[in-house]
Amino acid sequence: MQFSDAVNQRYSCRAFLPDLVPQQQLEQIFALAGRAPSNCNVQPWHTHVVSGAACDAMREKMAAAITENPAGSPDFAWSGKFTGPYQERQICAALGLWEKQGVDRKDRAKRDWSWMRNFKFFDAPHAAFIFLPTGFAEELRIAGDVGMYAQTLMLALTDAGLASCPQTSLSFFPDVVREACGVDDSFRLLMGLSFGYPDLNDPANEFRTERAPLSDTTVFHQ
Ligand SMILES: Cc1cc2nc3c(=O)[nH]c(=O)nc-3n(C[C@H](O)[C@H](O)[C@H](O)COP(=O)(O)O)c2cc1C
């Protein structure tokens, strides 16, 4: 796949098929993601991947956790509130997805259903949880490294014919993930990622987001 095709074809997938990706292929993809750059090459990402039965068990725990505690208890604060152009883009993305999912903005129950899809990993047979060492928790630059790793991972998945959804929502219950994956509290959970083969018959996967004009985000000086 051409690099530009991988970038353009990646999208946040919100419906997956149950088929498992072979372990050897997973290892190749995650090794490729590890080629991402990082400050001083510290490679601060620590990733736990749950597949098959382990993924199903985690899905059940996540769904129970969000039902019991809708605010979550993330390691990193998250308000989900934006203003100005950022809020406009947020609303546009939410409305576009809901339209494809058949969710009316005023229908609280359907909106809850859409939100709950996150905690069920959109039915994916795999989920990755990306931690960083607690000592780096206040280091914004190190979180940037994890972002580079995550995007490299998503592009590697796209290149392999797979799809993914990066999810802050999957960081809402770090203690659940730490306990299930045997991670001690010297690691903080930044984000999760559902991934697998996309269900192309689900209308949620028809949704594509727009981007702001280049001039809104980038200034060239000569
Ligand atoms: C760090 C991060 C966290 C995200 N968290 C969620 C999430 O919890 N749930 C979700 O459905 N989408 C989530 N997204 C997906 C974004 O909504 C999506 O990337 C954005 O709308 C652009 O759409 P695209 O990925 O299809 O290009 C997240 C994306 C990123 C990069």
Side-chain angles (χ1 to χ4, degrees):
M1 190 181 260
Q2 290 284 320
F3 173 73
S4 57
D5 289 339
V7 172
N8 285 318
Q9 286 176 30
R10 186 213 58 80
Y11 66 98
S12 292
C13 175
R14 295 186 179 94
F16 293 87
L17 297 172
D19 311 69
L20 284 164
V21 181
Q23 179 64 22
Q24 197 186 2
Q25 191 180 13
L26 285 187
E27 288 172 21
Q28 284 166 356
I29 289 167
F30 280 80
L32 190 57
R35 294 300 307 167
S38 55
N39 279 279
C40 305
N41 198 28
V42 294
Q43 304 160 63
W45 42 83
H46 291 260
T47 306
H48 286 256
V49 182
V50 291
S51 300
C55 185
D56 288 338
M58 188 73 87
R59 192 185 336 267
E60 267 188 39
K61 289 187 173 116
M62 286 276 165
I66 190 68
T67 304
E68 193 182 311
N69 174 15
S73 320
D75 288 336
F76 299 93
W78 168 251
S79 78
K81 291 188 178 19
F82 299 95
T83 57
Y86 310 107
Q87 186 184 39
E88 280 167 32
R89 293 171 196 161
Q90 177 189 29
I91 291 171
C92 206
L95 291 180
L97 174 63
W98 288 341
E99 188 187 344
K100 292 292 182 191
Q101 288 180 322
V103 175
D104 185 318
R105 190 181 186 174
K106 296 190 192 109
D107 187 339
R108 187 75 232 180
K110 285 290 278 184
R111 280 172 56 176
D112 288 350
W113 166 85
S114 174
W115 181 229
M116 181 58 102
R117 295 278 296 145
N118 276 279
F119 300 93
K120 295 185 173 175
F121 311 154
F122 304 105
D123 302 329
H126 306 275
F129 294 91
I130 308 175
F131 292 84
L132 48 77
T134 302
F136 292 145
E138 302 306 322
E139 290 262 8
L140 194 57
R141 293 175 205 282
I142 298 294
D145 294 343
V146 175
M148 292 186 209
Y149 165 80
Q151 168 71 338
T152 308
L153 174 60
M154 290 186 276
L155 293 179
L157 288 162
T158 304
D159 183 52
L162 300 163
S164 61
C165 187
Q167 290 168 260
T168 289
S169 47
L170 293 191
S171 69
F172 275 22
F173 302 102
D175 289 337
V176 170
V177 183
R178 271 191 284 266
E179 189 185 343
C181 295
V183 176
D184 64 42
D185 67 3
S186 63
F187 294 94
R188 294 283 177 266
L189 180 58
L190 187 63
M191 61 180 290
L193 190 84
S194 301
F195 67 94
Y197 298 95
D199 180 353
L200 299 176
N201 290 320
D202 190 310
N205 285 337
E206 291 168 9
F207 176 53
R208 293 292 180 277
T209 47
E210 300 292 325
R211 292 296 183 270
L214 186 64
S215 57
D216 283 10
T217 62
T218 310
V219 181
F220 295 94
H221 302 269
Q222 281 169 354

